[in-house]
Structure formats: C-alpha cells, structure tokens
Amino acid sequence: MKETEGQALKQHALGIVARLNEAGFEAYFVGGCVRDELLGRPVKDYDIATSARPEQVEALFQRTVPTGLQHGTVTVVVHRQPFEVTTFRKEGDYSDYRRPHSVEYIDSLHEDLQRRDFTMNAMAMDLNGRLIDPFGGQADLERGILRCVGSAQERFSEDALRMLRCIRFAAEFGLKPESGTWLALLGAAPLLRHIAMERIRAELERMLTGSDPSGAMLLLKDCRLLAHTKEKLCWARLDEIDSVGELDLRKLTRLEDRLAYLYLKLGAGQGDYDTDMRKLTFAKKQIEEVGRIVEANAWLMHELAAYTVRDAGEPSHEARELWVEAALRYGIDGLQTLRTIYKLDRNIRHAAGTDTVTHPIFTEWIRHGEAWLAEMPVARLRDLAVTGQEVLEALQGKAGPWTGKLLQALLRQAALGSLPNRKEALIQAARELYGEMQEKGIR
C-alpha cells in the first residue's frame, strides 16, 4: 500500500475512534493493525473495539453495514473504505472447536483482549497512540516469541484453526512458538479434524503467499499437523521430505507454481494432486494450472527413463525434441515453471522415481530449456498458418480421427522449426502425411 493511501486509511480510522469517544464510548484500535504498526509493517486495515453496542454504532455513523451483528460487529464505511467496529465481548463455550455458541457484550477492554489467540494480537491502542498491552505482546515480539494468551491448550481447543494460524504467524513474522504453545499445538493436533477443508486451504494459501513460505512448510513438517485433517491429504507426508526447506519458494512467483513444486516433492501422481486439491476446495483453474506442471514432469520423467543416450556428446537434439513436445502437450507456461523448479532443486527428479543426476538430457533442459521455448514459432493449433478446414479442402477429404492427428503432426514439425509456418508449406506437408496415414489405414 502506498504511504499516502496508508496515511489516509489511518486518518479515516482515527476519525471513527474520535467520533465514538466524543459520544462517550471507549474505542481502540485492536489486533493486527496494532501489531503491524509496532513492527513497522504496512497496515492494510484497522479493526476497532468499542464499549458501544452495535445499534449505538449504527446510530453514530452515516453509512454502516450489519456484517456480523451476531458477534457484535458493524462495518462502518468511510470514503468507500470499510472498518470493522466490534463491541467489547466475551465468548461462550466452543463445543465445535471453531466458533463460540454465544457472545456476551461487556464493558471491559481487558476481558475483550483476553479472549484473543496470541499475545501479539491482544494489544490495543487509543486515539493518542497509547499502547494497552496486558499480556506482554510487545515484549514477545521484541524477543521473537509467538505465545498464546493464557492457556495455549484452551486457546487451541476453543478454535482448532488457531493451530494453523500459529504456523502462519510464526513464519510470516519470523517468530518462534514459545515452548508451551508448541507443546500444546502438538497435543491438540487431532482437533484439526473438526475444521472445514476450505478453511485449511485458506490458511495454506496465506502461508504459501506470505513472507516465508518455506519456513511455514518446515514448521508444518515438524508438527505433522496436516496428518489430522478431516479428509486425508498428500500434505500429510510433508515429514517424509528431507529437503522441503532447501528451496526458497519465493523464487517461484505464483501460488500455483509453489503448489506444483510441493506436490512434486510429495511424489503426487497424476490423480493425487487433483483429488487433494478438490478436497481442499481449490478453484478449478488452479487445479488445472498445477496439473499442467505436475503432468508435464511425469511425462518428461517417463520419456527420460525410456531414453537411451545414443551420443553422449550431442544430447541437445533429443533433449529439445522432448522439451518442445512437452510444451505442446502441457503449455509453455508450465514448462517455464518446470525448468525453474529443475534449476532451483535438481532433487525434484527423485519424486518422479527417475535418477537424472548425471543424465545429459536433464542437464540440457536446465541449460537451454528457456531459449528453446522462446524460439518456438508456434505453440498451439491456432498459431498454425493454416486451419483444419483449409487442410480438409486441400486434401478433399472427410473429417475423421485422422484430422486431429495430422494437425498435431504439422504443429510439432512447425514448433521444432523443421517445417516453415507458411500455408503453402503446411498444405504440402499435410498431403505427404495424409498419404502415409492412408497407407497405414488411419481414417
């Protein structure tokens, strides 16, 4: 967020706190915005806690949205910016390990902060910038410690999702879970089975797009938390990967690329990643993008395992043919990502069961793969200078299974540069290929 935007956001939030104070109510910034300000990090949103009841908040401001009245939350909109304003409250029992059955409005900021998850999120700040920190959150941040408020066992049994938030916060802010908090997490891990899979997916996405995704994966590996999800996941095998933290996942720019890398490290087969991601409620497009990378690797490793080096001194021709073929099958973007993964972590090959430590073809993919992709004149059928209909007219043939096979053959030759991507040349090549197919009985 730009500095001027951040300053404007804070001024709007200060205006809300001031208005509540003028009306005789207590009001404070709470939670993440206080934590981030102390850490010097950009504040993306300001949450406000107040002694005012929801109906009193609604009466004070011109534009409000009743986004969470059952929990005492009213969203106040100022200059199109939403700010959550929540009444001080304490919570009833958490019999479902996720949400309290009831909330009770109270007049004590201290009690309100006491119900929160971690000390760094249980701080408040008043209109004048005075910090209210009854549980030592600032000191914990300074010491690099992540600690639950009160009993860690109680906090995790109230809301089992807090265990994943513990992992995410520790990685995001470079903190070490305090020993009691960590031991309580290990003991409460089986409670994760009560958490909906989409909530687990949301936390994993935040970890993988956070400031230290590799650190988050190492913590997940160490605690084996994902072995306790409601539905069984490939992620449960993170503890089997010795090198999960060796690759800086930040060097893979997209979430889907990072997911693909992890599924490759987990040795996920072509159906495993799909089943896994569906259980976690990932979007169809995300599943398809991850699939292109995972399946391209599987195809390349299969071809590599079957390949016999005929000329160890000149592997480039065969390497390029396989690489371009994979790009045609799975897309250039997927191959670009796969090359980056191969370059950053050569041990990825072991997940596919193929040892390529000294294989010259694999080395050529790393060395020249990017250039080969950039040189491809065509990558899809629509890139060809001739259409399927034009081919049919030129051959005076009737469409059938042969049509797609012929067009794919033209695409492959044009992509490799052995056939010019010109209409006349493509039509001539089509005639020759069609004759060969007729002789083989392909109709």
Side-chain angles (χ1 to χ4, degrees):
M1 184 182 295
K2 296 179 181 178
E3 185 176 356
T4 53
E5 293 176 357
Q7 291 171 345
L9 187 69
K10 184 172 184 179
Q11 289 305 311
H12 297 328
L14 286 168
I16 295 172
V17 173
R19 180 74 183 95
L20 287 162
N21 289 166
E22 289 165 3
F25 301 108
E26 291 183 56
Y28 307 88
F29 295 141
V30 291
C33 61
V34 179
R35 174 200 68 215
D36 289 345
E37 190 156 304
L38 290 177
L39 291 172
R41 294 166 65 105
V43 177
K44 298 178 181 178
D45 52 63
Y46 287 86
D47 291 333
I48 297 163
T50 180
S51 60
R53 301 301 191 255
E55 64 273 12
Q56 294 170 319
V57 174
E58 289 178 314
L60 281 173
F61 297 94
Q62 184 176 5
R63 187 179 175 193
T64 62
V65 182
T67 47
L69 290 181
Q70 72 273 28
H71 299 116
T73 300
V74 174
T75 297
V76 176
V77 181
V78 180
H79 291 278
R80 299 182 179 180
Q81 291 286 346
F83 298 86
E84 287 194 354
V85 180
T86 303
T87 302
F88 296 157
R89 71 189 194 208
K90 63 180 180 180
E91 299 168 338
D93 293 335
Y94 289 71
S95 60
D96 65 352
Y97 303 99
R98 180 68 186 98
R99 293 182 180 86
H101 277 308
S102 61
V103 298
E104 177 185 342
Y105 300 147
I106 56 177
D107 296 316
S108 168
L109 173 65
H110 184 280
E111 276 193 80
D112 183 86
L113 295 175
Q114 186 173 297
R115 69 179 172 81
R116 297 173 186 267
D117 51 6
F118 304 102
T119 59
M120 69 173 190
N121 294 331
M123 298 181 287
M125 188 173 288
D126 68 11
L127 186 64
N128 300 312
R130 180 176 67 92
L131 183 68
I132 299 94
D133 182 15
F135 306 106
Q138 184 178 31
D140 283 345
L141 285 175
E142 290 172 352
R143 291 185 298 159
I145 296 295
L146 180 64
R147 181 165 57 91
C148 281
V149 176
S151 166
Q153 184 176 359
E154 289 181 14
R155 297 294 81 77
F156 293 142
S157 63
E158 289 169 346
D159 180 358
L161 188 65
R162 286 171 173 166
M163 293 184 286
L164 281 174
R165 286 166 58 84
C166 178
I167 300 298
R168 173 163 63 88
F169 286 144
E172 179 67 24
F173 299 105
L175 304 174
K176 181 179 180 181
E178 174 263 341
S179 59
T181 296
W182 185 252
L183 289 174
L185 185 153
L186 297 179
L191 295 179
L192 195 66
R193 68 182 182 275
H194 296 286
I195 301 302
M197 299 301 284
E198 60 264 29
R199 299 295 299 173
I200 292 172
R201 185 258 308 152
E203 288 298 323
L204 289 175
E205 284 189 319
R206 293 186 183 108
M207 290 180 201
L208 287 173
T209 56
S211 64
D212 186 8
S214 296
M217 295 304 103
L218 278 172
L219 287 170
L220 282 175
K221 171 187 172 180
D222 290 344
C223 69
R224 301 198 73 245
L225 191 55
L226 295 179
H228 301 282
T229 52
K230 183 179 295 186
E231 298 185 59
K232 188 176 180 181
L233 297 172
C234 293
W235 292 76
R237 303 198 303 268
L238 270 175
D239 64 303
E240 299 175 7
I241 304 173
D242 294 333
S243 59
V244 69
E246 292 181 6
L247 171 67
D248 184 354
L249 284 168
R250 290 171 296 187
K251 293 180 180 178
L252 296 168
T253 55
R254 301 187 315 144
L255 168 64
E256 291 75 20
D257 299 343
R258 296 173 184 184
L259 284 165
Y261 166 73
L262 289 168
Y263 278 118
L264 290 174
K265 292 296 287 184
L266 289 166
Q270 289 172 275
D272 295 337
Y273 74 86
D274 183 272
T275 301
D276 226 48
M277 294 184 73
R278 288 181 189 278
K279 289 178 181 178
L280 286 164
T281 72
F282 278 99
K284 181 180 178 182
K285 184 178 179 182
Q286 290 177 297
I287 297 173
E288 291 172 348
E289 291 186 10
V290 169
R292 280 192 284 271
I293 299 166
V294 174
E295 292 178 19
N297 178 73
W299 185 84
L300 285 167
M301 292 300 110
H302 177 269
E303 294 298 312
L304 206 60
Y307 178 78
T308 302
V309 181
R310 292 183 292 275
D311 185 351
E314 294 291 338
S316 292
H317 178 72
E318 290 80 1
R320 179 169 174 264
E321 283 194 347
L322 289 173
W323 193 250
V324 170
E325 178 70 25
L328 295 177
R329 288 170 176 260
Y330 304 103
I332 287 179
D333 290 345
L335 267 289
Q336 287 173 333
T337 297
L338 200 51
R339 177 187 171 270
T340 301
I341 290 173
Y342 289 164
K343 186 177 179 182
L344 294 174
D345 184 2
R346 293 176 67 96
N347 287 321
I348 200 68
R349 57 191 171 271
H350 296 303
T354 302
D355 185 1
T356 57
V357 174
T358 59
H359 204 299
I361 297 293
F362 188 84
T363 302
E364 290 293 290
W365 289 341
I366 295 174
R367 185 178 300 163
H368 300 297
E370 184 176 17
W372 289 337
L373 294 175
E375 293 167 0
M376 286 175 61
V378 295
R380 296 156 297 188
L381 287 175
R382 67 187 184 198
D383 297 333
L384 288 175
V386 68
T387 67
Q389 185 59 39
E390 288 172 331
V391 169
L392 286 173
E393 291 173 359
L395 299 180
Q396 297 181 345
K398 183 179 179 181
W402 67 270
T403 314
K405 294 178 181 179
L406 187 147
L407 290 171
Q408 287 295 333
L410 292 177
L411 178 64
R412 185 176 184 276
Q413 291 182 36
L416 288 167
S418 58
L419 174 64
N421 188 30
R422 296 196 304 269
K423 184 174 180 178
E424 299 79 8
L426 292 167
I427 291 292
Q428 179 57 38
R431 290 193 177 98
E432 295 172 7
L433 287 167
Y434 183 61
E436 294 173 7
M437 294 171 79
Q438 292 285 79
E439 290 178 7
K440 294 178 181 178
I442 301 174
R443 298 287 186 267

